[in-house]
Amino acid sequence: MRFQNTLSLLTIAAAGVFAQTGELGDAPVVKNNPPGVVYSATLPPSAFTKSAYPDGGNAKGSISAVASPDGVGVIFKVRFSNLPKEGGPFTYHLHNAPVPANGNCTAANSHIDPYMRKDDPPCDSKAPQTCEVGDLSGKHGKITSDPFEASYTDLYASTLNTDPGFFGNLSFVLHFANKTRISCANFEKVQAGTPVPTDNCTTTTKVPVGTGGTTSVPTQSSIPIAGASLVSKSAAMLGAGAASLFAAALLL
Ligand SMILES: *[C@@H]1O[C@H](CO)[C@@H](O)[C@H](O)[C@H]1NC(C)=O
Ligand SMILES: *[C@@H]1O[C@H](CO)[C@@H](O)[C@H](O)[C@H]1NC(C)=O
Ligand SMILES: *[C@@H]1O[C@H](CO)[C@@H](O)[C@H](O)[C@H]1NC(C)=O
Ligand SMILES: *[C@@H]1O[C@H](CO)[C@@H](O)[C@H](O)[C@H]1NC(C)=O
Ligand SMILES: [Cu+2]
């Protein structure tokens, strides 16, 4: 019995399961996110850290988020391109304050961390419930390519405005590996209350998962990512892609 306990402890230690837990415990899975409500955030035309783009400009980047059709977790679709040539792998997080009108990314404060886990030691992606709720790149992977695309379900961030993991009126920040803030953007509600997708669409739609492959990549020609086109893009995604999002949720 004692030997077995010791052995299992050793096994757990070897597997690295002793992840940091928040002072208030692990993040609970959010099960009541309102289906169909989309939030998105798009980086502005010029960087916060100007030295990242000596000739002006900025990374292109957007995050859109919608609850899973069953309300369990939130499906994130993340795209970045035109990243700085050095200083990666880049990280990005949901931050716990909005960006003011002057674009000051320092004012976006720190990560969404309602269970008070702090960012040190780093998130163990094998135990995402122990990570800061806002640490998306810690849980789901850093930005390791340009362009970079990822689609995943996060079970702890929330689109329900009464949940501690709510980010819909907050922001995300893109960082160099050394944590310097390159750029940041506020989330905005894109569209409310679309109907739950019908099942019969799932067989005909491609599943956008991860980077590369069949997913479309933003091109240089689509430089002005205006609010309007973003809205229509996301709306189209919701309509035509709702079934694929659902499929992605099942896969991930
Ligand atoms: C962080 O990394 C960037 C890119 O490599 C560099 O320009 C910047 O000086 C670094 N900042 C600090 C504080 O080390
Ligand atoms: C940016 O925000 C930080 C933190 O709120 C503040 O200390 C700093 O003065 C602000 N800088 C500007 C230029 O507004
Ligand atoms: C964001 O929304 C929540 C819930 O409605 C609210 O409690 C919080 O104060 C808001 N935060 C900001 C920065 O507006
Ligand atoms: C899916 O079902 C809806 C409602 O039942 C129907 O109107 C639509 O034509 C169907 N679509 C396909 C591709 O079968
Ligand atoms: Cu951050």
Side-chain angles (χ1 to χ4, degrees):
M1 193 60 180
R2 170 164 300 182
F3 173 72
Q4 269 187 341
N5 284 344
T6 309
L7 191 66
S8 57
L9 273 180
L10 283 174
T11 311
I12 289 168
V17 177
F18 287 126
Q20 170 90 346
T21 285
E23 251 175 68
L24 304 182
D26 287 343
V29 172
V30 183
K31 298 180 175 168
N32 53 350
N33 295 302
V37 184
V38 179
Y39 290 92
S40 85
T42 301
L43 295 177
S46 57
F48 170 62
T49 296
K50 304 293 179 203
S51 59
Y53 292 88
D55 302 327
N58 193 9
K60 283 195 249 177
S62 67
I63 298 181
S64 73
V66 62
S68 292
D70 63 1
V72 181
V74 171
I75 301 166
F76 284 89
K77 225 168 134 64
V78 174
R79 297 169 180 223
F80 290 103
S81 61
N82 196 38
L83 292 152
K85 300 290 172 263
E86 290 173 11
F90 308 98
T91 60
Y92 62 99
H93 321 109
L94 304 173
H95 275 237
N96 65 12
V99 182
N102 68 4
N104 183 353
C105 292
T106 308
N109 205 24
S110 50
H111 306 164
I112 293 180
D113 185 22
Y115 307 105
M116 298 174 70
R117 182 262 190 228
K118 312 272 169 41
D119 62 0
D120 188 50
C123 163
D124 177 354
S125 60
K126 292 188 293 299
Q129 74 282 2
T130 67
C131 298
E132 291 175 296
V133 167
D135 189 0
L136 293 183
S137 58
K139 289 184 277 187
H140 305 285
K142 296 174 182 176
I143 301 170
T144 51
S145 65
D146 187 351
F148 175 84
E149 290 201 12
S151 180
Y152 49 79
T153 299
D154 188 281
L155 297 175
Y156 315 101
S158 177
T159 53
L160 180 68
N161 69 5
T162 53
D163 190 276
F166 181 63
F167 59 88
N169 57 357
L170 302 175
S171 61
F172 83 86
V173 176
L174 171 68
H175 299 259
F176 282 115
N178 65 14
K179 297 191 180 177
T180 295
R181 298 170 189 218
I182 301 168
S183 188
C184 56
N186 285 326
F187 282 93
E188 285 168 17
K189 193 192 264 195
V190 173
Q191 188 184 323
T194 46
V196 175
T198 53
D199 282 339
N200 61 1
C201 294
T202 46
T203 51
T204 58
T205 318
K206 274 188 189 145
V207 182
V209 178
T211 58
T214 55
T215 52
S216 68
V217 163
T219 57
Q220 294 298 336
S221 60
S222 63
I223 283 164
I225 305 180
S229 78
L230 179 71
V231 167
S232 61
K233 238 188 242 170
S234 299
M237 179 192 84
L238 229 211
S244 69
L245 284 174
F246 181 61
L250 290 178
L251 281 177
L252 286 165

